[in-house]
């Protein structure tokens, strides 16, 4: 393991919820919960104000509503979050060629590989500048951890939350890790944690004291040896710039179990088309088609079929998924369906078109099949997801607070306005239409004249954080061997 703390871990603070608060002045400082709003929805992200009530990610939305009935509940806007993520990842890649994204809001950076840091002081300065740049470019905050390894850098960023920076000094790692729960270590999930607890092992110190032989006996050779090394603060995993995708998949969970076999088949076909669009968007093809079915009793079945060669043809994927569905009993009802493609490649095998019986359509015709059907004489009622952007010809830009019973309620405000007024319209009001999200940061008039971000970009609706780089609990951090920035 390197001696200098030049591995950086960035984790944006309550990313989805923070982005929503930044774009909606009326929600700043209030409990905001983003996720699926149906009966089986789950929380994707909860703001820190919502976490006070015990709400956390992956919690069933129904439970979140019981804990925080007065919170704002919003449907995710993934395109919006992805655009912000691309800005953040661009700042990280300006620091180093070795950037390993873990999700839209989280990544490792090898600062030494980019010449951005070589010791503790330069690493701390790079982290401070990164957080300032993220605020200037996106208007949002992120927490930064700096250490000599990926494992420790991630632990440091957790210590720094929210909106802070923590650096773990070389030589203090063992003292820091010792009292922590074994669940802190990578690879220790609920099952492994329970197994270790039954063996009387609760902390990292107890894990180290158990010894490598005992851990191998309990967990197997590979897992036992890896955890023992991490308990000693040894983590040799490098920052990997590009993670090769192993599969491409899509899935949907349904608010009400699907019993109609015909509808199940249609849903599988729709998911197959979505999967192929994602596959093509990544410039990939694949050989193995995978069908996932979660039934009414929560039992999950997975079926797969491997083709002669890789394909990105929708007809081939649809037919393979249909064949796989034939082998699954859905009589009792289906709560989740998914279609995936693995065995990825960056080329296709032309003769695979023949594998789909009657598949004579060329590429453009297949794409046309994905388009919505022509509008019928009696159009369906427009859907207005909570939290999504709209524009009214008279009142301007706003967002949906809620809808139902033929009405939609909109709050008219923008990221740089005061909290706006609320108005209610018919769902078919011709003056109301969906809109694209507005940027969270507006450029000043002199932006074009300045190549940098300082002085040329103005964050909206946020307070200055440049001087706030210490851990939330500095006393306990220093005692644990962490030096606040």
């Amino acid at each position: 393991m390197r001696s200098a703390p030049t591995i950086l871990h960035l984790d944006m603070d309550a990313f989805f919820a923070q982005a929503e608060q930044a774009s909606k002045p009326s929600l700043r400082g209030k409990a905001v919960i983003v996720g699926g709003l149906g009966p089986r929805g789950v929380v994707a992200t909860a703001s820190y104000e919502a976490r006070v009530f015990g709400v956390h990610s992956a919690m069933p939305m129904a439970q979140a509503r019981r804990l925080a009935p007065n919170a704002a509940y919003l449907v995710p806007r993934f395109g919006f979050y992805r655009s912000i993520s691309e800005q953040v990842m661009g700042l990280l890649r300006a620091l180093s060629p070795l950037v390993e994204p873990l999700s839209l809001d989280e990544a490792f950076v090898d600062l030494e590989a980019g010449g951005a840091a070589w010791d503790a002081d330069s690493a701390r300065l790079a982290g401070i500048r990164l957080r300032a740049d993220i605020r200037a470019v996106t208007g949002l905050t992120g927490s930064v951890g700096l250490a000599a390894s990926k494992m420790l850098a991630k632990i440091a960023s957790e210590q720094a939350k929210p909106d802070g920076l923590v650096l773990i000094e070389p030589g203090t790692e063992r003292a820091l890790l010792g009292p922590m729960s074994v669940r802190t270590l990578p690879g220790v999930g609920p099952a492994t944690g329970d197994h270790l607890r039954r063996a009387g092992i609760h902390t990292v110190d107890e894990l180290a004291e158990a010894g490598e032989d005992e851990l191998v006996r309990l967990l197997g050779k590979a897992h036992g040896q890896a955890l023992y090394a991490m308990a000693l603060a040894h983590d040799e995993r490098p920052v990997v710039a590009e993670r090769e995708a192993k599969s491409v998949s899509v899935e949907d969970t349904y608010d009400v179990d699907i019993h109609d076999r015909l509808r199940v088949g249609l849903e599988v076909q729709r998911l197959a088309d979505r999967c192929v669009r994602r596959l093509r968007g990544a410039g990939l093809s694949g050989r193995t088609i995978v069908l996932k079915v979660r039934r009414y009793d929560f039992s999950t079945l997975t079926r797969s079929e491997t083709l002669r060669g890789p394909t990105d043809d929708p007809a081939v994927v649809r037919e393979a998924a249909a064949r796989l569905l034939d082998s699954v009993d859905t009589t009792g009802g289906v709560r989740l369906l998914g279609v995936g493609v693995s065995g990825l490649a960056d080329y296709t095998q032309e003769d695979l078109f023949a594998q789909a019986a009657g598949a004579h359509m060329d590429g453009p015709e297949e794409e046309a099949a994905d388009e919505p059907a022509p509008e019928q004489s009696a159009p369906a009622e427009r859907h207005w997801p909570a939290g999504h952007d709209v524009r009214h010809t008279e009142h301007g830009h706003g967002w949906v607070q809620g809808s139902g019973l033929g009405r939609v309620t909109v709050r008219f405000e923008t990221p740089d306005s005061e909290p706006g007024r609320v108005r209610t319209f018919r769902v078919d009001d011709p003056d109301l239409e969906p809109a694209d999200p507005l940027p969270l940061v507006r450029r000043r008039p002199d932006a074009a004249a300045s190549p940098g971000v300082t002085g040329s970009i103005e964050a909206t609706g946020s307070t200055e954080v440049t001087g706030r780089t210490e851990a939330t609990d500095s006393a306990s951090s220093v005692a644990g061997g962490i030096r606040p920035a």
Side-chain angles (χ1 to χ4, degrees):
M1 186 172 73
R2 69 183 70 195
S3 58
T6 53
I7 299 296
L8 180 149
H9 181 259
L10 170 72
D11 196 353
M12 300 295 288
D13 300 320
F15 181 45
F16 297 171
Q18 185 188 179
E20 297 296 350
Q21 289 174 317
S23 69
K24 301 172 172 63
S26 58
L27 296 185
R28 292 171 192 163
K30 298 181 180 178
V32 174
I33 297 170
V34 180
L37 302 189
R40 291 177 178 167
V42 297
V43 175
T45 308
S47 69
Y48 285 96
E49 295 86 353
R51 296 180 192 188
V52 172
F53 299 98
V55 180
H56 57 77
S57 60
M59 171 182 285
M61 191 62 76
Q63 182 180 356
R65 288 186 184 276
R66 289 193 296 271
L67 293 172
N70 297 319
Y73 289 85
L74 307 177
V75 175
R77 298 186 291 165
F78 288 112
F80 176 51
Y81 310 145
R82 192 172 294 110
S83 67
I84 300 173
S85 174
E86 288 170 357
Q87 292 178 304
V88 173
M89 295 302 166
L91 293 173
L92 298 183
R93 293 187 179 97
L95 289 174
S96 172
L98 291 184
V99 176
E100 183 178 339
L102 303 180
S103 61
L104 289 178
D105 62 336
E106 185 180 2
F108 287 109
V109 184
D110 188 329
L111 296 175
E112 188 175 3
W118 49 92
D119 59 11
D121 291 338
S122 57
R124 183 184 300 104
L125 182 59
I128 292 171
R129 287 175 173 169
L130 172 64
R131 293 179 60 246
D133 287 346
I134 289 173
R135 168 56 69 88
V137 171
T138 70
L140 305 183
T141 65
S143 295
V144 166
L146 292 157
S149 70
K150 290 167 68 173
M151 175 185 71
L152 293 167
K154 184 171 175 62
I155 290 172
S157 71
E158 285 296 320
Q159 295 274 342
K161 280 186 169 295
D163 188 20
L165 182 153
V166 166
L167 183 147
I168 298 178
E169 292 281 8
T172 65
E173 298 93 347
R174 289 289 302 277
L176 166 70
L177 282 176
M180 291 185 174
S181 166
V182 293
R183 291 290 304 276
T184 304
L185 301 181
V188 182
T192 301
D194 287 345
H195 195 47
L196 292 171
R197 179 178 52 78
R198 288 193 294 270
I201 300 173
H202 303 86
T203 68
V204 177
D205 262 344
E206 291 170 344
L207 199 66
E209 290 168 3
E212 184 175 6
D213 291 343
E214 177 64 9
L215 294 179
V216 167
R217 186 187 69 80
L218 287 171
L219 305 172
K221 184 175 181 180
H223 201 186
Q225 289 178 339
L227 284 188
Y228 181 69
M230 288 183 179
L232 300 180
H234 297 159
D235 179 18
E236 301 295 339
R237 295 174 301 159
V239 176
V240 180
E242 295 295 335
R243 286 186 160 192
E244 185 178 352
K246 295 182 179 179
S247 65
V248 173
S249 62
V250 296
E251 62 181 42
D252 277 344
T253 301
Y254 304 99
D255 292 342
V256 179
D257 290 347
I258 302 176
H259 293 84
D260 181 22
R261 182 74 177 188
L262 176 60
R263 187 189 165 194
V264 172
L266 291 174
E267 288 293 312
V268 168
Q269 300 296 290
R270 182 180 61 82
L271 289 166
D273 288 341
R274 276 177 53 196
C275 184
V276 168
R277 286 198 296 272
R278 183 171 294 183
L279 196 69
R280 287 180 169 181
L284 297 170
S285 60
R287 293 186 61 208
T288 302
I289 315 303
V290 181
L291 175 71
K292 178 179 177 181
V293 179
R294 180 166 297 149
R295 299 189 291 190
Y296 69 98
D297 59 356
F298 285 89
S299 62
T300 302
L301 304 177
T302 303
R303 300 287 185 269
S304 64
E305 175 182 321
T306 299
L307 308 174
R308 294 198 303 269
T311 184
D312 66 352
D313 178 16
V316 173
V317 177
R318 281 197 300 265
E319 184 165 298
R323 286 194 298 270
L324 294 170
L325 180 61
D326 288 340
S327 66
V328 178
D329 179 12
T330 62
T331 305
V334 170
R335 60 184 292 119
L336 177 147
L337 289 168
V339 173
V341 177
S342 61
L344 301 181
D346 57 2
Y347 64 94
T348 60
Q349 185 169 309
E350 295 295 333
D351 64 4
L352 285 175
F353 284 89
Q355 290 191 28
H360 300 300
M361 295 189 292
D362 57 21
E365 290 175 326
E366 284 293 346
E367 290 299 323
D370 294 332
E371 295 298 318
E375 187 174 301
Q376 303 299 315
S377 56
E381 183 178 281
R382 287 192 291 176
H383 181 54
W384 301 101
H388 283 223
D389 296 83
V390 295
R391 175 166 289 280
H392 190 274
T393 53
E394 178 183 352
H395 303 292
H397 192 94
W399 57 278
V400 177
Q401 279 202 328
S403 62
L405 301 177
R407 300 283 179 176
V408 54
T409 300
V410 177
R411 184 180 288 274
F412 290 97
E413 59 187 7
T414 64
D416 56 349
S417 75
E418 295 296 319
R421 299 184 64 180
V422 175
R423 295 182 182 274
T424 299
F425 308 90
R426 299 193 318 272
V427 294
D428 58 353
D429 189 317
D431 291 331
L432 190 69
E433 60 183 14
D436 292 329
L438 296 177
L440 299 181
V441 173
R442 67 175 184 272
R443 290 190 174 273
R444 293 173 178 168
D446 61 345
S450 175
V453 297
T454 304
S456 64
I457 297 178
E458 181 178 347
T460 60
S462 302
T463 56
E464 181 60 45
V465 298
T466 304
R468 192 320 191 171
T469 55
E470 71 275 8
T472 304
D473 184 355
S474 58
S476 61
S477 298
V478 173
I482 302 176
R483 183 172 70 185

